[in-house]
Amino acid sequence: MPLSRVVCRYWGDQYPSQEMKTWLAQGLNIEIISRHSYDGQPDDSWMAYTYPGLTCIEDWKGNHRSLQSTIDFLQRHPLLKRIELDPAHIFENAPWGVAFANRMHPYSCKIGRPPATVFKVDEEWLYKSIRVSFQDDIPHGGVEIVETMVRKMGTMLPQSSSSPWVTAGIDFLSPVGEYMTSEDLIGILTRNSSHVTNLQFGKFLCDILAREYTQIVEPGFAIDAGFRSFRERLMQAMPMLDGVELYCQGF
């Protein structure tokens, strides 16, 4: 049987052995490559090869060499649709990292853990799963700026049926929780994130809920009570939403 008709569903070696190089040259298909534990050192020699049939890469810290070499690798693998990024991923050497920074300009943000996942939609790499902590100082009362940030982030998330499960996490270094209301936030998300199926929130939402509910319930229960109400209202406003999570320690 020709090797072009043989599929290796999962390959996890550090780099191809001589035998594997021969098989690849003869057309062996590899569906998934795992880079778990192998990208800690700047050895990108595995990227010099072409892996027919490649559709997914797992635990990829990225390319230590250059953006162009990453682009070259992606162009040689047109079937590659999904990449799960290691928490230490080198975003500046990846087209999705450069695109995200350009799309978010002039705002700066940090992509947090757990690792993001990118998904190719119509030749564009978008984030199927991402947690973002916005780093900029926002003037007191700057709800419109917050909405602009969320809207920009939303353009980097897939909105088509080809990626039905999209997770987005949002937090702010600036103390927006001191003045923003939960209704402000629900309105922003409804207008700009209706395609997201799972939303995660950092410390800023805890600040909002503590401020709004401390006068209603005992202080020790304010955030829990507030989050139950917020989650119910948000899921009513966003029917596609499947889950809402809160992380008071941030991302």
Side-chain angles (χ1 to χ4, degrees):
M1 178 186 296
L3 284 184
S4 60
R5 298 177 61 184
V6 177
V7 176
C8 172
R9 297 200 177 277
Y10 189 91
W11 179 69
D13 291 345
Q14 184 171 4
Y15 43 78
S17 64
Q18 192 59 49
E19 187 176 37
M20 177 61 79
K21 293 176 187 178
T22 300
W23 291 343
L24 290 172
Q26 294 176 1
L28 174 67
N29 290 274
I30 294 181
E31 286 191 353
I32 300 173
I33 290 178
S34 172
R35 298 304 303 163
H36 181 66
S37 302
Y38 289 132
D39 285 335
Q41 300 178 0
D43 181 3
D44 299 309
S45 59
W46 69 279
M47 292 180 62
Y49 302 93
T50 299
Y51 305 87
L54 182 63
T55 61
C56 176
I57 299 176
E58 297 177 349
D59 299 308
W60 192 18
K61 285 185 180 177
N63 177 14
H64 297 80
R65 288 180 288 183
S66 68
L67 171 63
Q68 187 57 50
S69 59
T70 303
I71 293 173
D72 292 342
F73 178 84
L74 296 173
Q75 289 177 340
R76 297 201 313 274
H77 298 87
L79 299 180
L80 183 57
K81 297 292 185 183
R82 177 187 176 93
I83 303 177
E84 298 175 7
L85 308 178
D86 184 271
H89 184 74
I90 306 172
F91 284 92
E92 58 268 28
N93 281 352
W96 44 84
V98 173
F100 189 83
N102 290 340
R103 196 75 59 89
M104 295 306 302
H105 182 79
Y107 305 113
S108 60
C109 54
K110 178 181 178 181
I111 298 177
R113 300 188 178 203
T117 299
V118 292
F119 192 82
K120 189 165 71 172
V121 179
D122 297 330
E123 302 307 314
E124 182 179 18
W125 287 98
L126 301 175
Y127 288 82
K128 184 178 174 68
S129 174
I130 190 172
R131 283 181 174 179
V132 174
S133 179
F134 293 98
Q135 304 293 294
D136 301 87
D137 289 330
I138 302 173
H140 189 86
V143 176
E144 292 183 359
I145 297 176
V146 170
E147 178 155 11
T148 299
M149 291 176 165
V150 173
R151 182 170 59 250
K152 282 176 172 285
M153 185 188 76
T155 64
M156 289 299 296
L157 305 175
Q159 302 187 38
S160 72
S161 58
S162 60
S163 182
W165 182 264
V166 179
T167 297
I170 304 169
D171 203 2
F172 296 87
L173 187 62
S174 184
V176 299
E178 294 180 359
Y179 55 83
M180 179 182 280
T181 68
S182 58
E183 284 301 317
D184 287 335
L185 181 57
I186 289 173
I188 289 172
L189 295 169
T190 302
R191 290 187 292 272
N192 301 284
S193 304
S194 60
H195 54 297
V196 176
T197 49
N198 182 272
L199 279 168
Q200 302 171 346
F201 301 96
K203 182 179 181 299
F204 85 102
L205 179 56
C206 297
D207 294 339
I208 291 174
L209 299 176
R211 194 185 76 246
E212 291 183 345
Y213 283 84
T214 297
Q215 304 301 321
I216 302 174
V217 299
E218 295 182 28
F221 300 94
I223 293 177
D224 287 342
F227 183 61
R228 286 195 296 271
S229 171
F230 173 80
R231 180 173 54 194
E232 181 178 345
R233 287 179 286 139
L234 182 61
M235 296 187 78
Q236 287 177 348
M238 299 176 63
M240 286 186 61
L241 201 57
D242 189 67
V244 183
E245 302 172 53
L246 182 63
Y247 298 86
C248 286
Q249 300 302 316
F251 300 145

